[in-house]
Amino acid sequence: MIARCFIRLIQTHYQDMEISHVLTRRPLNTFSDFPMADRLTNSIDQVVDGADLIVECSGDVFHGTEVIERAFEAGLQVVTVNAELQVTTGSYLAGKGFLTEAEGDQPGSLAALHEEALMMGFKPLVYGNMKGYLNHDPSPEDMAYWAKRQGISVDQTTSFTDGTKVQIEQVIVGNGLGASITQQGLQGLASTNLTETGNLLGMMADRLGQPFVDYVIPAGFPAGGVFLVCRHDDEQREAIEYFKLGPGPYYTLVRPFHLCSLEVGKTVRRVLSGGSVLLNNSIAPTLGVGAIAKRAMRAGELVERGIGGYQFRGEALKLDQHPDHVPIGLLRKTALKRAVEPGQLVTFDDIDILPSRALDIAMQMRAERAENAVPNHSVKNAPAGMAVLDS
């Protein structure tokens, strides 16, 4: 859906841009109604050779990683609509070339709202997402029904419903904008009044002493947008109250929509005009998304997929507290080496993972984090007869 809508947008409303090729892994003769079907190709080289910029919207961690690395080899900039990739291999890739998440999905929309808030003098405290519905363990029958009704895949529907997607989205925002979390899995407060909930979240941020990411589950007002809880200068309080944002000290800025593919063009325009990265997972992330078992599983059981599956769901966590966790984006056709219990966070000792470039990258980043976490007991410029331990 993202690719189809984005192509139609560029074709109709961006007359100075052209879709050169569209990469697909499916046989080319299986498409009947795809826009600009004559641009479809199975060749990564053909896509890269004919492009000034790549828009990666596969939703696939493994395939997307390979395409982005190939684009970087050719010196191309990449815009993604792939939150799953960002939290799995995105930090490594961000250190190798120009990689930005697009405005339109919630992370990019929050980053855009963040930029606007800073230009108005606001100090963001909480980066908020709105979640319309949450069921940590939905049934396959319900997911099949809703997938058909909404016109998206079953695995997408499942990852939205069980909360995995919102955890992934908020981790990108936290890593990219320098925010933390208050607890594993986030708070996920129910809210009947976003201003009142924003005030509560603002107080939590002040107690925490740093900005954090989270989400709310609205009741009585529409979900689907994003929001920031901010402070501002005391001397602006009277004016801001006149502008209908309340008496402070906390102000909730709301962007009540995110229009996915219809907004990606804004980020493409930004990049082609020489603009900076809107958002990525940063080259030094502090947060990750681990895999939490939904049910008891036996040793030897096959995990077909992590994100959007019925065996695991994702939870945001702090990397320094869980160095051995398996990023949920790596779970694909994976075998369990030992039994796991409901609610258990899965580690690399629990599973066998098929080799892939994404796994290589994840293991490299894990090793680098472990190395950086080891205290460095080195002697530094000490007077004669004295050693200084730098811890």
Side-chain angles (χ1 to χ4, degrees):
M1 181 175 67
I2 296 294
R4 290 171 184 265
C5 293
F6 174 70
I7 290 167
R8 291 186 178 114
L9 175 76
I10 298 299
Q11 189 177 20
T12 305
H13 298 285
Y14 287 71
Q15 300 302 314
D16 59 329
M17 297 184 192
E18 182 180 358
I19 302 294
S20 54
H21 289 96
V22 181
L23 180 65
T24 179
R25 288 166 288 174
R26 288 183 253 173
L28 301 184
N29 60 5
T30 62
F31 292 87
S32 58
D33 62 344
F34 197 87
M36 303 184 75
D38 60 312
R39 310 295 169 89
L40 288 164
T41 179
N42 298 133
S43 169
I44 295 179
D45 289 339
Q46 190 174 23
V47 168
V48 168
D49 291 343
D52 298 303
L53 177 142
I54 299 292
V55 177
E56 192 284 311
C57 54
S58 69
D60 186 307
V61 171
F62 303 90
H63 176 62
T65 297
E66 294 174 359
V67 171
I68 292 172
E69 286 202 303
R70 179 68 185 86
F72 286 169
E73 289 171 4
L76 297 177
Q77 297 170 311
V78 178
V79 172
T80 69
V81 191
N82 193 340
E84 297 86 348
L85 177 144
Q86 288 276 9
V87 301
T88 310
T89 60
S91 289
Y92 171 87
L93 294 170
K96 302 299 180 182
F98 186 102
L99 177 68
T100 184
E101 191 71 7
E103 191 173 347
D105 210 0
Q106 285 98 328
S109 294
L110 263 174
L113 184 57
H114 166 83
E115 286 189 347
E116 293 173 7
L118 293 181
M119 287 188 285
M120 292 186 286
F122 287 98
K123 177 185 177 182
L125 299 175
V126 182
Y127 299 89
N129 204 323
M130 298 187 205
K131 185 88 181 75
Y133 180 73
L134 182 65
N135 179 357
H136 284 319
D137 192 13
S139 71
E141 294 77 19
D142 281 349
M143 295 299 91
Y145 168 80
W146 284 108
K148 183 177 180 179
R149 178 168 173 173
Q150 295 175 334
I152 58 177
S153 68
V154 173
D155 54 273
Q156 284 179 309
T157 305
T158 305
S159 72
F160 300 164
T161 302
D162 70 10
T164 298
K165 189 65 183 294
V166 73
Q167 302 281 328
I168 288 171
E169 290 168 346
Q170 294 307 88
V171 162
I172 299 171
V173 174
N175 285 330
L177 301 182
S180 187
I181 59 176
T182 60
Q183 65 179 32
Q184 181 176 317
L186 310 181
Q187 298 281 341
L189 300 178
S191 176
T192 57
N193 183 302
L194 190 56
T195 298
E196 293 177 0
T197 305
N199 291 339
L200 174 60
L201 292 169
M203 288 187 283
M204 292 171 62
D206 278 342
R207 286 199 299 269
L208 186 65
Q210 68 181 117
F212 69 88
V213 297
D214 220 294
Y215 68 98
V216 299
I217 303 174
F221 61 94
V226 296
F227 65 94
L228 291 180
V229 181
C230 306
R231 278 188 175 272
H232 211 297
D233 307 324
D234 285 341
E235 56 265 33
Q236 296 281 8
R237 181 177 298 198
E238 187 175 312
I240 295 174
E241 185 170 7
Y242 173 78
F243 298 144
K244 307 298 187 292
L245 278 186
Y250 306 111
Y251 305 101
T252 301
L253 306 180
V254 184
R255 192 175 190 268
F257 62 88
H258 70 289
L259 300 179
C260 297
S261 50
L262 297 184
E263 298 190 72
V264 175
K266 291 189 286 182
T267 308
V268 171
R269 175 82 71 202
R270 171 195 182 106
V271 175
L272 290 176
S273 299
S276 62
V277 167
L278 175 66
L279 178 73
N280 60 37
N281 205 52
S282 90
I283 60 172
T286 60
L287 306 174
V289 183
I292 303 293
K294 292 182 179 179
R295 59 174 175 80
M297 285 169 272
R298 65 186 184 281
E301 187 166 339
L302 180 66
V303 179
E304 185 66 26
R305 63 182 303 115
I307 298 173
Y310 299 105
Q311 295 156 301
F312 294 94
R313 61 181 178 85
E315 279 193 354
L317 49 76
K318 294 184 178 181
L319 295 175
D320 62 351
Q321 295 179 0
H322 301 283
D324 296 325
H325 83 283
V326 178
I328 192 169
L330 290 179
L331 295 184
R332 180 189 67 169
K333 299 188 183 303
T334 301
L336 290 172
K337 291 195 292 188
R338 54 192 186 190
V340 299
E341 297 299 321
Q344 181 177 333
L345 175 67
V346 178
T347 70
F348 281 99
D349 291 334
D350 297 320
I351 59 172
D352 278 320
I353 303 181
L354 289 174
S356 68
R357 179 60 183 148
L359 176 60
D360 293 342
I361 289 171
M363 297 305 288
Q364 179 178 331
M365 291 191 295
R366 177 172 176 251
E368 289 172 354
R369 285 196 298 269
E371 182 179 350
N372 292 334
V374 176
N376 178 24
H377 299 295
S378 57
V379 177
K380 284 189 173 181
N381 298 324
M386 184 183 297
V388 177
L389 293 180
D390 176 24
S391 61

